[in-house]
Amino acid sequence: MTLFRSSSSSSLFLVFVLVLLAGTSSSAHLLSENFYCRKCPQVFNAVKSVVEDAVAKEQRLGASILRLFFHDCFIDGCDGSLLLDDTSTFKGEKTAAANKNSVRGFEVIDAIKSKVEALCPGVVSCADILAIASRDAVVILGGPFWDVKLGRRDSRTANFTAANTGVIPPPTSNLSTLISNFKSHGLDVKDLVALSGSHTIGQARCTSFRGHIYNDTDIDPSFAKLRQKNCPRQNGTGDNNLAPLDLQTPTHFENNYYKNLINKKGLLHSDQELFNGGSTDSLVKAYSQNNKAFASDFVTGMIKMGNILPLTGSKGEIRKNCRRVN
């Protein structure tokens, strides 16, 4: 997102943000931690069991599920639109630039939906399943627990254009772009830094960090050389080779991510931007020294992100299959 170049563009942006925040608050207050207490009390055990099995088979899936939630919420709100396949009437978000050959874990959501539908047909939305599964993935990998607010309904369409045009900040983003992007979704600087801590788990493709390890100067030289061994300089060569986002503990959720940034060992350009002489340096330092503070602010950020423009009441639908509308 670019800086404003005129008073008229600033005004338009302000109106957009105010509309977004108004929509967020008016819908989000309808979400409740007790939404399924009577309708489907078994939903939590059902979701957890499937996520546990999936992560036991492949630990990386924990991070993948969490990333699905982030990429879903940033495109028109947390409405399960990312889960939709292409149809004859709309193009889904899965093949957009931010998602193609990148987002994964859809089969886990499918398995959860099948299990939940067998218990409570037509009751639990795919959007809520993704929210619960994200929490469980974090907990299973050693992160904090929180009560998930529920009551979202599923969208009947997707927004390929938004997903393809930078609404989800790319790994090449600078700090001002990251701050502006998160602000446009009703998230502040603390949310940005805390939610970026999700990169304490998971892996990234060479194509996402190639520029950082070959062209940037805000990176530890020995770390850059280590990553260059499995990520060739030439585009199109080794693009899908993987490296852990957290150099130390890529399958355990804690604050080592921030310690890496202080040592200039952030894998992505956008990661290292959080600790590069800018306004977020102090937060990175604080989280690197206090895992409890990070966990607490991460939970706050996840709840706020989960409140982005949910469909509630009679809006949307409860999909029977998360990949297609009813």
Side-chain angles (χ1 to χ4, degrees), residues 84-95:
L84 290 168
D85 290 336
D86 294 349
T87 72
S88 59
T89 57
F90 67 80
K91 188 174 180 64
E93 298 164 14
K94 294 179 180 178
T95 58

Side-chain angles (χ1 to χ4, degrees), residues 10-55:
S10 298
S11 299
L12 287 171
F13 178 79
L14 178 61
V15 170
F16 169 76
V17 171
L18 290 175
V19 169
L20 171 65
L21 294 179
T24 301
S25 60
S26 63
S27 300
H29 82 277
L30 298 175
L31 301 182
S32 167
E33 297 163 1
N34 302 314
F35 190 81
Y36 295 113
C37 280
R38 293 186 178 181
K39 298 178 180 180
C40 189
Q42 314 99 306
V43 63
F44 297 104
N45 286 336
V47 174
K48 183 180 178 181
S49 65
V50 176
V51 177
E52 283 180 332
D53 288 346
V55 174

